[in-house]
mmCIF file of all heavy atoms in Angstrom:
data_model
loop_
_atom_site.group_PDB
_atom_site.id
_atom_site.type_symbol
_atom_site.label_atom_id
_atom_site.label_comp_id
_atom_site.label_asym_id
_atom_site.label_seq_id
_atom_site.Cartn_x
_atom_site.Cartn_y
_atom_site.Cartn_z
ATOM 1 N N ILE V 1 -6.036 -40.030 13.978
ATOM 2 C CA ILE V 1 -6.198 -38.574 14.184
ATOM 3 C C ILE V 1 -5.728 -37.997 12.877
ATOM 4 O O ILE V 1 -4.727 -38.356 12.287
ATOM 5 C CB ILE V 1 -5.116 -38.077 15.259
ATOM 6 C CG1 ILE V 1 -5.511 -38.750 16.542
ATOM 7 C CG2 ILE V 1 -5.158 -36.570 15.363
ATOM 8 C CD1 ILE V 1 -4.447 -38.439 17.651
ATOM 9 N N SER V 2 -6.566 -37.007 12.336
ATOM 10 C CA SER V 2 -6.279 -36.280 11.136
ATOM 11 C C SER V 2 -6.459 -34.816 11.368
ATOM 12 O O SER V 2 -7.045 -34.380 12.440
ATOM 13 C CB SER V 2 -7.207 -36.707 9.956
ATOM 14 O OG SER V 2 -7.111 -38.136 9.734
ATOM 15 N N ARG V 3 -6.003 -34.094 10.518
ATOM 16 C CA ARG V 3 -6.294 -32.529 10.731
ATOM 17 C C ARG V 3 -6.341 -31.814 9.363
ATOM 18 O O ARG V 3 -5.918 -32.328 8.226
ATOM 19 C CB ARG V 3 -5.109 -31.961 11.403
ATOM 20 C CG ARG V 3 -3.835 -31.730 10.690
ATOM 21 C CD ARG V 3 -2.646 -31.132 11.509
ATOM 22 N NE ARG V 3 -1.505 -30.780 10.766
ATOM 23 C CZ ARG V 3 -0.340 -30.309 11.165
ATOM 24 N NH1 ARG V 3 -0.288 -30.051 12.524
ATOM 25 N NH2 ARG V 3 0.627 -30.130 10.376
ATOM 26 N N ARG V 4 -6.901 -30.631 9.374
ATOM 27 C CA ARG V 4 -6.945 -29.786 8.079
ATOM 28 C C ARG V 4 -6.798 -28.380 8.539
ATOM 29 O O ARG V 4 -7.156 -27.933 9.775
ATOM 30 C CB ARG V 4 -8.167 -30.043 7.245
ATOM 31 C CG ARG V 4 -9.472 -29.707 7.936
ATOM 32 C CD ARG V 4 -10.633 -30.178 7.029
ATOM 33 N NE ARG V 4 -11.939 -30.080 7.586
ATOM 34 C CZ ARG V 4 -13.077 -30.517 7.076
ATOM 35 N NH1 ARG V 4 -12.970 -31.203 5.872
ATOM 36 N NH2 ARG V 4 -14.280 -30.469 7.638
ATOM 37 N N ALA V 5 -6.459 -27.527 7.629
ATOM 38 C CA ALA V 5 -6.266 -26.005 7.960
ATOM 39 C C ALA V 5 -7.527 -25.487 8.394
ATOM 40 O O ALA V 5 -8.602 -25.687 7.866
ATOM 41 C CB ALA V 5 -5.711 -25.298 6.728
ATOM 42 N N GLY V 6 -7.424 -24.513 9.381
ATOM 43 C CA GLY V 6 -8.584 -23.772 9.849
ATOM 44 C C GLY V 6 -8.895 -22.515 9.208
ATOM 45 O O GLY V 6 -8.165 -22.226 8.260
ATOM 46 N N ARG V 7 -9.776 -21.910 9.750
ATOM 47 C CA ARG V 7 -10.161 -20.522 9.102
ATOM 48 C C ARG V 7 -9.058 -19.486 9.270
ATOM 49 O O ARG V 7 -9.033 -18.516 8.594
ATOM 50 C CB ARG V 7 -11.433 -20.017 9.573
ATOM 51 C CG ARG V 7 -11.450 -19.748 11.017
ATOM 52 C CD ARG V 7 -12.668 -18.871 11.494
ATOM 53 N NE ARG V 7 -12.414 -18.145 12.687
ATOM 54 C CZ ARG V 7 -13.205 -17.246 13.145
ATOM 55 N NH1 ARG V 7 -14.259 -16.812 12.483
ATOM 56 N NH2 ARG V 7 -12.918 -16.668 14.214
ATOM 57 N N THR V 8 -8.191 -19.644 10.262
ATOM 58 C CA THR V 8 -7.128 -18.730 10.658
ATOM 59 C C THR V 8 -5.747 -19.339 10.500
ATOM 60 O O THR V 8 -5.626 -20.622 10.982
ATOM 61 C CB THR V 8 -7.339 -18.134 12.022
ATOM 62 O OG1 THR V 8 -8.613 -17.470 12.044
ATOM 63 C CG2 THR V 8 -6.278 -17.035 12.336
ATOM 64 N N SER V 9 -4.851 -18.770 9.935
ATOM 65 C CA SER V 9 -3.504 -19.344 9.702
ATOM 66 C C SER V 9 -2.949 -19.798 11.005
ATOM 67 O O SER V 9 -2.920 -19.094 11.994
ATOM 68 C CB SER V 9 -2.609 -18.362 9.058
ATOM 69 O OG SER V 9 -1.236 -18.865 8.860
ATOM 70 N N GLY V 10 -2.328 -21.028 11.112
ATOM 71 C CA GLY V 10 -1.744 -21.585 12.223
ATOM 72 C C GLY V 10 -2.576 -22.398 13.079
ATOM 73 O O GLY V 10 -2.070 -23.213 13.957
ATOM 74 N N TYR V 11 -4.001 -22.449 12.885
ATOM 75 C CA TYR V 11 -4.889 -23.254 13.582
ATOM 76 C C TYR V 11 -5.415 -24.341 12.736
ATOM 77 O O TYR V 11 -5.442 -24.243 11.523
ATOM 78 C CB TYR V 11 -6.091 -22.441 14.089
ATOM 79 C CG TYR V 11 -5.851 -21.541 15.248
ATOM 80 C CD1 TYR V 11 -5.726 -20.187 15.033
ATOM 81 C CD2 TYR V 11 -5.733 -21.993 16.568
ATOM 82 C CE1 TYR V 11 -5.413 -19.304 16.004
ATOM 83 C CE2 TYR V 11 -5.547 -21.110 17.594
ATOM 84 C CZ TYR V 11 -5.359 -19.703 17.385
ATOM 85 O OH TYR V 11 -5.043 -18.936 18.321
ATOM 86 N N TYR V 12 -5.694 -25.527 13.404
ATOM 87 C CA TYR V 12 -6.144 -26.637 12.610
ATOM 88 C C TYR V 12 -7.503 -27.293 13.135
ATOM 89 O O TYR V 12 -7.753 -27.146 14.390
ATOM 90 C CB TYR V 12 -5.157 -27.765 12.757
ATOM 91 C CG TYR V 12 -3.847 -27.578 11.964
ATOM 92 C CD1 TYR V 12 -2.772 -27.171 12.685
ATOM 93 C CD2 TYR V 12 -3.725 -27.632 10.636
ATOM 94 C CE1 TYR V 12 -1.463 -26.777 12.150
ATOM 95 C CE2 TYR V 12 -2.521 -27.465 9.859
ATOM 96 C CZ TYR V 12 -1.381 -26.918 10.641
ATOM 97 O OH TYR V 12 -0.327 -26.717 9.956
ATOM 98 N N GLU V 13 -8.233 -27.694 12.361
ATOM 99 C CA GLU V 13 -9.396 -28.527 12.754
ATOM 100 C C GLU V 13 -8.963 -30.000 12.934
ATOM 101 O O GLU V 13 -8.219 -30.401 11.967
ATOM 102 C CB GLU V 13 -10.574 -28.471 11.624
ATOM 103 C CG GLU V 13 -11.782 -29.156 12.068
ATOM 104 C CD GLU V 13 -12.964 -29.029 11.066
ATOM 105 O OE1 GLU V 13 -12.678 -28.546 9.934
ATOM 106 O OE2 GLU V 13 -14.015 -29.457 11.306
ATOM 107 N N TYR V 14 -9.312 -30.646 13.918
ATOM 108 C CA TYR V 14 -8.953 -31.965 14.178
ATOM 109 C C TYR V 14 -10.032 -33.023 14.045
ATOM 110 O O TYR V 14 -11.239 -32.746 14.338
ATOM 111 C CB TYR V 14 -8.230 -32.163 15.625
ATOM 112 C CG TYR V 14 -6.907 -31.508 15.667
ATOM 113 C CD1 TYR V 14 -6.753 -30.189 16.227
ATOM 114 C CD2 TYR V 14 -5.751 -32.054 15.175
ATOM 115 C CE1 TYR V 14 -5.645 -29.518 16.240
ATOM 116 C CE2 TYR V 14 -4.481 -31.332 15.158
ATOM 117 C CZ TYR V 14 -4.429 -30.103 15.773
ATOM 118 O OH TYR V 14 -3.186 -29.390 15.842
ATOM 119 N N LYS V 15 -9.601 -34.240 13.582
ATOM 120 C CA LYS V 15 -10.735 -35.341 13.482
ATOM 121 C C LYS V 15 -10.123 -36.577 14.167
ATOM 122 O O LYS V 15 -8.991 -36.904 14.032
ATOM 123 C CB LYS V 15 -11.052 -35.569 12.070
ATOM 124 C CG LYS V 15 -12.064 -36.684 11.859
ATOM 125 C CD LYS V 15 -12.545 -36.975 10.496
ATOM 126 C CE LYS V 15 -11.418 -37.445 9.506
ATOM 127 N NZ LYS V 15 -11.948 -37.822 8.225
ATOM 128 N N PHE V 16 -10.978 -37.073 15.018
ATOM 129 C CA PHE V 16 -10.657 -38.371 15.865
ATOM 130 C C PHE V 16 -11.600 -39.410 15.423
ATOM 131 O O PHE V 16 -12.882 -39.223 15.520
ATOM 132 C CB PHE V 16 -10.713 -38.057 17.299
ATOM 133 C CG PHE V 16 -9.812 -36.923 17.723
ATOM 134 C CD1 PHE V 16 -10.237 -35.626 17.775
ATOM 135 C CD2 PHE V 16 -8.439 -37.126 18.183
ATOM 136 C CE1 PHE V 16 -9.468 -34.583 18.088
ATOM 137 C CE2 PHE V 16 -7.687 -35.997 18.572
ATOM 138 C CZ PHE V 16 -8.183 -34.775 18.491
ATOM 139 N N VAL V 17 -11.129 -40.637 15.104
ATOM 140 C CA VAL V 17 -12.070 -41.693 14.734
ATOM 141 C C VAL V 17 -11.572 -42.952 15.524
ATOM 142 O O VAL V 17 -10.341 -43.200 15.709
ATOM 143 C CB VAL V 17 -11.962 -42.001 13.251
ATOM 144 C CG1 VAL V 17 -12.864 -43.176 12.942
ATOM 145 C CG2 VAL V 17 -12.340 -40.806 12.365
ATOM 146 N N ALA V 18 -12.621 -43.646 16.093
ATOM 147 C CA ALA V 18 -12.245 -44.779 16.868
ATOM 148 C C ALA V 18 -13.542 -45.700 16.975
ATOM 149 O O ALA V 18 -14.551 -45.266 16.703
ATOM 150 C CB ALA V 18 -11.843 -44.393 18.269
ATOM 151 N N GLU V 19 -13.345 -47.049 17.305
ATOM 152 C CA GLU V 19 -14.378 -47.986 17.465
ATOM 153 C C GLU V 19 -14.640 -48.015 19.056
ATOM 154 O O GLU V 19 -13.839 -47.855 19.909
ATOM 155 C CB GLU V 19 -14.010 -49.302 17.034
ATOM 156 C CG GLU V 19 -13.758 -49.415 15.567
ATOM 157 C CD GLU V 19 -15.046 -49.377 14.765
ATOM 158 O OE1 GLU V 19 -16.128 -49.701 15.258
ATOM 159 O OE2 GLU V 19 -15.061 -49.187 13.510
ATOM 160 N N SER V 20 -16.039 -48.118 19.290
ATOM 161 C CA SER V 20 -16.486 -48.403 20.731
ATOM 162 C C SER V 20 -17.408 -49.537 20.856
ATOM 163 O O SER V 20 -18.199 -49.864 19.995
ATOM 164 C CB SER V 20 -17.275 -47.047 21.219
ATOM 165 O OG SER V 20 -17.844 -47.380 22.415
ATOM 166 N N PRO V 21 -17.151 -50.388 21.884
ATOM 167 C CA PRO V 21 -18.083 -51.418 22.013
ATOM 168 C C PRO V 21 -19.447 -51.164 22.430
ATOM 169 O O PRO V 21 -20.366 -52.023 22.473
ATOM 170 C CB PRO V 21 -17.323 -52.337 23.262
ATOM 171 C CG PRO V 21 -16.635 -51.267 23.949
ATOM 172 C CD PRO V 21 -16.266 -50.308 22.926
ATOM 173 N N VAL V 22 -19.766 -49.833 22.893
ATOM 174 C CA VAL V 22 -21.093 -49.378 23.171
ATOM 175 C C VAL V 22 -21.827 -49.182 21.988
ATOM 176 O O VAL V 22 -21.467 -48.579 20.982
ATOM 177 C CB VAL V 22 -20.884 -48.036 24.100
ATOM 178 C CG1 VAL V 22 -22.294 -47.659 24.403
ATOM 179 C CG2 VAL V 22 -19.964 -48.315 25.166
ATOM 180 N N GLY V 23 -23.061 -49.663 22.045
ATOM 181 C CA GLY V 23 -23.964 -49.520 20.843
ATOM 182 C C GLY V 23 -24.359 -47.997 20.682
ATOM 183 O O GLY V 23 -24.219 -47.128 21.472
ATOM 184 N N PRO V 24 -24.772 -47.760 19.408
ATOM 185 C CA PRO V 24 -25.063 -46.371 18.991
ATOM 186 C C PRO V 24 -26.027 -45.596 19.857
ATOM 187 O O PRO V 24 -25.885 -44.599 20.227
ATOM 188 C CB PRO V 24 -25.484 -46.545 17.478
ATOM 189 C CG PRO V 24 -24.899 -47.808 17.038
ATOM 190 C CD PRO V 24 -24.821 -48.644 18.141
ATOM 191 N N GLU V 25 -27.182 -46.398 20.112
ATOM 192 C CA GLU V 25 -28.224 -45.617 20.966
ATOM 193 C C GLU V 25 -27.736 -45.358 22.374
ATOM 194 O O GLU V 25 -27.944 -44.233 22.873
ATOM 195 C CB GLU V 25 -29.399 -46.642 21.009
ATOM 196 C CG GLU V 25 -30.623 -45.949 21.770
ATOM 197 C CD GLU V 25 -31.757 -46.753 21.797
ATOM 198 O OE1 GLU V 25 -31.949 -47.860 21.133
ATOM 199 O OE2 GLU V 25 -32.977 -46.459 22.447
ATOM 200 N N GLN V 26 -27.062 -46.342 23.005
ATOM 201 C CA GLN V 26 -26.601 -46.025 24.307
ATOM 202 C C GLN V 26 -25.422 -45.033 24.293
ATOM 203 O O GLN V 26 -25.420 -43.993 25.259
ATOM 204 C CB GLN V 26 -25.915 -47.319 24.863
ATOM 205 C CG GLN V 26 -27.041 -48.382 25.158
ATOM 206 C CD GLN V 26 -26.265 -49.796 25.586
ATOM 207 O OE1 GLN V 26 -25.403 -50.186 24.866
ATOM 208 N NE2 GLN V 26 -26.728 -50.159 26.809
ATOM 209 N N LEU V 27 -24.631 -44.938 23.438
ATOM 210 C CA LEU V 27 -23.427 -43.980 23.289
ATOM 211 C C LEU V 27 -24.163 -42.559 22.956
ATOM 212 O O LEU V 27 -23.659 -41.706 23.613
ATOM 213 C CB LEU V 27 -22.553 -44.436 22.166
ATOM 214 C CG LEU V 27 -21.210 -43.475 22.104
ATOM 215 C CD1 LEU V 27 -20.507 -43.604 23.509
ATOM 216 C CD2 LEU V 27 -20.394 -43.889 21.065
ATOM 217 N N GLU V 28 -25.050 -42.500 22.179
ATOM 218 C CA GLU V 28 -25.818 -41.304 21.830
ATOM 219 C C GLU V 28 -26.431 -40.679 23.106
ATOM 220 O O GLU V 28 -26.231 -39.449 23.478
ATOM 221 C CB GLU V 28 -26.932 -41.546 20.868
ATOM 222 C CG GLU V 28 -27.836 -40.251 20.601
ATOM 223 C CD GLU V 28 -29.194 -40.528 19.924
ATOM 224 O OE1 GLU V 28 -29.393 -41.671 19.719
ATOM 225 O OE2 GLU V 28 -29.853 -39.593 19.539
ATOM 226 N N GLN V 29 -27.079 -41.554 23.986
ATOM 227 C CA GLN V 29 -27.602 -40.934 25.120
ATOM 228 C C GLN V 29 -26.583 -40.539 26.170
ATOM 229 O O GLN V 29 -26.710 -39.510 26.841
ATOM 230 C CB GLN V 29 -28.558 -42.030 25.833
ATOM 231 C CG GLN V 29 -29.719 -42.499 24.979
ATOM 232 C CD GLN V 29 -30.720 -41.261 24.821
ATOM 233 O OE1 GLN V 29 -30.734 -40.348 25.681
ATOM 234 N NE2 GLN V 29 -31.279 -41.229 23.663
ATOM 235 N N PHE V 30 -25.401 -41.256 26.186
ATOM 236 C CA PHE V 30 -24.367 -40.906 27.100
ATOM 237 C C PHE V 30 -23.819 -39.647 26.881
ATOM 238 O O PHE V 30 -23.610 -38.622 27.704
ATOM 239 C CB PHE V 30 -23.321 -42.019 27.220
ATOM 240 C CG PHE V 30 -22.176 -41.664 28.114
ATOM 241 C CD1 PHE V 30 -22.235 -41.884 29.443
ATOM 242 C CD2 PHE V 30 -21.022 -41.212 27.563
ATOM 243 C CE1 PHE V 30 -21.265 -41.636 30.416
ATOM 244 C CE2 PHE V 30 -19.956 -40.734 28.420
ATOM 245 C CZ PHE V 30 -20.028 -41.004 29.814
ATOM 246 N N VAL V 31 -23.502 -39.373 25.553
ATOM 247 C CA VAL V 31 -22.768 -38.049 25.100
ATOM 248 C C VAL V 31 -23.756 -37.022 25.385
ATOM 249 O O VAL V 31 -23.415 -35.980 25.675
ATOM 250 C CB VAL V 31 -22.226 -38.231 23.607
ATOM 251 C CG1 VAL V 31 -21.708 -36.953 23.139
ATOM 252 C CG2 VAL V 31 -21.199 -39.432 23.519
ATOM 253 N N TRP V 32 -24.996 -37.166 24.800
ATOM 254 C CA TRP V 32 -26.077 -36.090 24.916
ATOM 255 C C TRP V 32 -26.206 -35.578 26.419
ATOM 256 O O TRP V 32 -26.312 -34.503 26.727
ATOM 257 C CB TRP V 32 -27.257 -36.516 24.259
ATOM 258 C CG TRP V 32 -28.304 -35.325 24.251
ATOM 259 C CD1 TRP V 32 -29.423 -35.229 25.026
ATOM 260 C CD2 TRP V 32 -28.295 -34.148 23.392
ATOM 261 N NE1 TRP V 32 -30.102 -34.037 24.746
ATOM 262 C CE2 TRP V 32 -29.480 -33.406 23.840
ATOM 263 C CE3 TRP V 32 -27.531 -33.720 22.472
ATOM 264 C CZ2 TRP V 32 -29.843 -32.207 23.163
ATOM 265 C CZ3 TRP V 32 -27.752 -32.614 21.831
ATOM 266 C CH2 TRP V 32 -28.983 -31.818 22.215
ATOM 267 N N SER V 33 -26.410 -36.656 27.369
ATOM 268 C CA SER V 33 -26.534 -36.271 28.759
ATOM 269 C C SER V 33 -25.364 -35.574 29.212
ATOM 270 O O SER V 33 -25.500 -34.781 30.198
ATOM 271 C CB SER V 33 -26.894 -37.487 29.560
ATOM 272 O OG SER V 33 -25.682 -38.389 29.621
ATOM 273 N N SER V 34 -24.198 -35.777 28.744
ATOM 274 C CA SER V 34 -23.010 -35.072 29.316
ATOM 275 C C SER V 34 -23.058 -33.577 29.097
ATOM 276 O O SER V 34 -22.439 -32.919 29.840
ATOM 277 C CB SER V 34 -21.773 -35.697 28.586
ATOM 278 O OG SER V 34 -21.588 -35.185 27.299
ATOM 279 N N PHE V 35 -23.731 -33.026 28.164
ATOM 280 C CA PHE V 35 -23.776 -31.628 27.951
ATOM 281 C C PHE V 35 -24.595 -31.010 29.036
ATOM 282 O O PHE V 35 -24.506 -29.807 29.063
ATOM 283 C CB PHE V 35 -24.511 -31.375 26.480
ATOM 284 C CG PHE V 35 -23.719 -32.009 25.324
ATOM 285 C CD1 PHE V 35 -24.447 -32.557 24.340
ATOM 286 C CD2 PHE V 35 -22.364 -31.959 25.283
ATOM 287 C CE1 PHE V 35 -23.782 -33.127 23.307
ATOM 288 C CE2 PHE V 35 -21.711 -32.432 24.236
ATOM 289 C CZ PHE V 35 -22.419 -33.136 23.153
ATOM 290 N N GLN V 36 -25.354 -31.646 29.871
ATOM 291 C CA GLN V 36 -26.065 -31.139 30.943
ATOM 292 C C GLN V 36 -25.037 -30.830 32.078
ATOM 293 O O GLN V 36 -25.723 -30.002 33.080
ATOM 294 C CB GLN V 36 -27.179 -32.055 31.420
ATOM 295 C CG GLN V 36 -28.187 -32.281 30.416
ATOM 296 C CD GLN V 36 -29.010 -31.141 30.122
ATOM 297 O OE1 GLN V 36 -29.440 -30.444 30.907
ATOM 298 N NE2 GLN V 36 -29.489 -31.184 28.788
ATOM 299 N N THR V 37 -23.829 -31.234 32.160
ATOM 300 C CA THR V 37 -23.077 -31.062 33.287
ATOM 301 C C THR V 37 -21.854 -30.074 32.931
ATOM 302 O O THR V 37 -21.285 -30.365 31.985
ATOM 303 C CB THR V 37 -22.517 -32.421 33.792
ATOM 304 O OG1 THR V 37 -23.648 -33.168 34.066
ATOM 305 C CG2 THR V 37 -21.651 -32.296 34.927
ATOM 306 N N ALA V 38 -21.712 -29.090 33.774
ATOM 307 C CA ALA V 38 -20.448 -28.203 33.651
ATOM 308 C C ALA V 38 -19.270 -28.664 34.537
ATOM 309 O O ALA V 38 -19.537 -29.031 35.634
ATOM 310 C CB ALA V 38 -20.849 -26.839 33.859
ATOM 311 N N GLU V 39 -18.119 -28.624 33.859
ATOM 312 C CA GLU V 39 -16.966 -29.045 34.726
ATOM 313 C C GLU V 39 -16.064 -27.911 34.897
ATOM 314 O O GLU V 39 -16.099 -26.958 34.118
ATOM 315 C CB GLU V 39 -16.167 -30.237 33.949
ATOM 316 C CG GLU V 39 -17.062 -31.490 33.772
ATOM 317 C CD GLU V 39 -16.258 -32.572 33.189
ATOM 318 O OE1 GLU V 39 -15.006 -32.484 32.976
ATOM 319 O OE2 GLU V 39 -16.787 -33.707 32.920
ATOM 320 N N LYS V 40 -15.241 -27.903 35.907
ATOM 321 C CA LYS V 40 -14.241 -26.936 36.137
ATOM 322 C C LYS V 40 -13.417 -26.808 34.948
ATOM 323 O O LYS V 40 -13.048 -27.800 34.268
ATOM 324 C CB LYS V 40 -13.341 -27.312 37.349
ATOM 325 C CG LYS V 40 -14.173 -27.212 38.646
ATOM 326 C CD LYS V 40 -13.285 -27.499 39.870
ATOM 327 C CE LYS V 40 -13.883 -27.360 41.195
ATOM 328 N NZ LYS V 40 -12.990 -27.755 42.289
ATOM 329 N N PRO V 41 -12.947 -25.486 34.513
ATOM 330 C CA PRO V 41 -13.070 -24.352 35.174
ATOM 331 C C PRO V 41 -14.410 -23.535 35.070
ATOM 332 O O PRO V 41 -14.345 -22.240 35.140
ATOM 333 C CB PRO V 41 -11.834 -23.540 34.754
ATOM 334 C CG PRO V 41 -11.709 -23.944 33.370
ATOM 335 C CD PRO V 41 -12.108 -25.458 33.343
ATOM 336 N N VAL V 42 -15.444 -24.233 34.543
ATOM 337 C CA VAL V 42 -16.631 -23.349 34.313
ATOM 338 C C VAL V 42 -17.130 -22.929 35.639
ATOM 339 O O VAL V 42 -17.355 -23.809 36.600
ATOM 340 C CB VAL V 42 -17.734 -24.311 33.590
ATOM 341 C CG1 VAL V 42 -19.089 -23.562 33.556
ATOM 342 C CG2 VAL V 42 -17.327 -24.681 32.265
ATOM 343 N N LYS V 43 -17.418 -21.661 35.810
ATOM 344 C CA LYS V 43 -17.846 -21.085 37.099
ATOM 345 C C LYS V 43 -19.370 -20.990 37.164
ATOM 346 O O LYS V 43 -19.933 -21.156 38.245
ATOM 347 C CB LYS V 43 -17.198 -19.660 37.126
ATOM 348 C CG LYS V 43 -17.520 -18.915 38.401
ATOM 349 C CD LYS V 43 -16.936 -17.509 38.412
ATOM 350 C CE LYS V 43 -17.248 -16.760 39.769
ATOM 351 N NZ LYS V 43 -16.561 -15.402 39.713
ATOM 352 N N LYS V 44 -19.950 -20.719 35.997
ATOM 353 C CA LYS V 44 -21.480 -20.667 36.057
ATOM 354 C C LYS V 44 -21.950 -21.122 34.651
ATOM 355 O O LYS V 44 -21.326 -20.572 33.571
ATOM 356 C CB LYS V 44 -21.848 -19.184 36.352
ATOM 357 C CG LYS V 44 -23.382 -19.076 36.266
ATOM 358 C CD LYS V 44 -23.736 -17.687 36.598
ATOM 359 C CE LYS V 44 -25.327 -17.501 36.617
ATOM 360 N NZ LYS V 44 -25.662 -16.063 36.879
#
């Protein structure tokens, strides 16, 4: 985990880096498909 100053004082942009055993193509499809689903507390 790393961070750097954001556009507004007091806020930070964060970066997370990790290894996954899932191949790039499969992981790409999984993450992209997740954007189709809304989770609580999304009402609409």
Side-chain angles (χ1 to χ4, degrees):
I1 304 173
S2 304
R3 74 179 188 184
R4 60 184 173 189
R7 66 167 197 166
T8 300
S9 177
Y11 287 102
Y12 292 100
E13 182 180 8
Y14 291 99
K15 179 171 71 172
F16 305 86
V17 181
E19 295 284 340
S20 169
V22 180
E25 183 175 353
Q26 292 174 304
L27 188 57
E28 174 194 8
Q29 294 300 327
F30 179 82
V31 175
W32 183 255
S33 65
S34 73
F35 300 137
Q36 298 291 324
T37 304
E39 298 183 3
K40 292 182 178 181
V42 176
K43 183 178 180 181
K44 180 181 180 182

